[in-house]
Amino acid sequence: MFLQAITLAEALKARAKHPQARFVAGGTTTIPEQNLGRFQPDGYISLRRIPSLRRIEVTGDGLFLGAGCAMADLLTNPLLEDQPIIRLAARTTGTRQLRSRSTVGGNLFTTRIDRTLPPCLLALEAVGHLVSASGESKRDLGEALRECRDLSTEPEILVGVTVPRTAGFQGFTRVAPRNGGGNAIASVALCLDPGRKAVRLGLGGAGPVAMRAPEAERFAESAIDWEGDNLDEATAAKFGDLAAEQCEPPDDVMASNDYRRHAIKVMARRILERAWEDCHEGR
């Protein structure tokens, strides 16, 4: 069974009728996994042609990114010019051909831990918009990721995410098997806003899903001398240590959990140092 839904209501109605079917948009993860024999769905419900899922617009709450937007859209839409870490995440997603098919929703809600967009949106404190047969809801993105790792198997649809307005530094870094576009073994996204004295850290490859590191964030916010000129080396080192301690990274064919934990420790320390330098130069 293959259904090309035109509206959200149509897609949800089809899912109620075929509960073992999978939602699919780009299919860049779902189809390869089926080809590997990891599951055999009852069918597919395509969300690709639902116009409301492909919106990118400024709202009263911030920047809205539709779940059906291709990763390539994030690189070309002018509304994302002041969202550098989202564009970095999109640029490091596979090849140009994959970016034209892979969607925001598929990049977020997947059993794969190597996607680059989730840690960036967590650092930006994004909010998820979901819809089910019972209505619409808003959820903290981290909570939504933990509750439903793979939305293609859930009875609800991600409509999009809202990224609140933010100021200050945005940075993203990763380690991967090769340079250029590709999957990340581990990744780190950081937002540092001196005006709010706020630090937000998103981690990828650090656990079953992307996660924040709240203990590291709280430590940095209290330890940084926000009025000073320099960032203490011990503060940056402790920040990296705390980020690594909060991880529960997997041990697989791509990398050991010790490697991922060490990589996150080093990347978190370095990106905090870079963020402070960037913000200080902008004074």
Side-chain angles (χ1 to χ4, degrees):
M1 186 274 294
F2 180 85
L3 172 67
Q4 181 73 71
I6 304 300
T7 66
L8 290 170
E10 186 177 312
L12 291 168
K13 183 178 179 180
R15 185 56 180 276
K17 186 175 180 180
H18 302 277
Q20 300 305 313
R22 287 199 170 210
F23 291 126
V24 64
T28 57
T29 297
T30 302
I31 302 304
E33 289 196 349
Q34 178 183 326
N35 292 341
L36 290 171
R38 293 176 180 168
F39 59 84
Q40 291 297 324
D42 186 36
Y44 290 108
I45 303 165
S46 175
L47 309 176
R48 186 101 185 151
R49 295 185 181 176
I50 300 179
S52 60
L53 297 182
R54 303 201 67 172
R55 292 179 292 128
I56 298 179
E57 60 187 18
V58 176
T59 70
D61 297 322
L63 178 65
F64 179 84
L65 304 176
C69 293
M71 299 298 281
D73 297 334
L74 307 184
L75 296 174
T76 58
N77 193 295
L79 293 179
L80 279 98
E81 288 180 354
D82 60 349
Q83 299 289 347
I85 60 174
I86 293 179
R87 286 195 161 178
L88 276 171
R91 191 173 295 115
T92 56
T93 298
T95 62
R96 180 177 296 180
Q97 292 86 348
L98 281 172
R99 289 193 292 271
S100 70
R101 294 290 300 181
S102 176
T103 64
V104 169
N107 197 274
L108 286 172
F109 289 94
T110 173
T111 56
R112 299 286 298 267
I113 66 166
D114 53 12
R115 299 312 190 226
T116 54
L117 191 57
C120 295
L121 289 177
L122 289 178
L124 289 166
E125 302 180 277
V127 175
H129 302 256
L130 298 101
V131 64
S132 67
S134 59
E136 298 183 7
S137 64
K138 292 183 182 180
R139 255 178 279 175
D140 171 78
L141 185 60
E143 175 189 343
L145 290 173
R146 290 189 298 272
E147 289 180 352
C148 36
R149 292 180 61 190
D150 184 358
L151 262 189
S152 69
T153 65
E154 299 291 331
E156 56 186 341
I157 299 170
L158 177 73
V159 178
V161 295
T162 293
V163 180
R165 294 176 182 83
T166 186
F169 172 88
Q170 295 182 21
F172 171 74
T173 187
R174 63 172 190 145
V175 289
R178 65 180 187 272
N179 292 328
N183 301 327
I185 292 173
S187 57
V188 169
L190 179 75
C191 292
L192 186 145
D193 183 351
R196 292 192 298 140
K197 298 182 180 179
V199 178
R200 299 292 180 262
L201 181 66
L203 306 177
V209 295
M211 57 186 286
R212 290 265 296 274
E215 290 184 19
E217 294 171 351
R218 287 192 292 267
F219 166 76
E221 289 174 346
S222 63
I224 288 175
D225 178 6
W226 294 98
E227 305 303 324
D229 293 333
N230 298 309
L231 176 69
D232 185 69
E233 290 183 5
T235 296
K238 181 66 173 178
F239 180 72
D241 290 342
L242 288 172
E245 288 173 9
Q246 292 184 256
C247 294
E248 295 182 7
D251 195 336
D252 56 29
V253 295
M254 297 300 295
S256 69
N257 51 15
D258 286 339
Y259 176 83
R260 285 188 167 98
R261 186 175 284 108
H262 177 72
I264 286 170
K265 172 183 175 179
V266 173
M267 288 190 292
R269 172 180 59 81
R270 289 178 176 174
I271 202 168
L272 181 63
E273 292 173 336
R274 178 157 60 93
W276 184 258
E277 290 177 4
D278 183 89
C279 290
H280 181 66
E281 288 176 359
R283 286 185 180 180

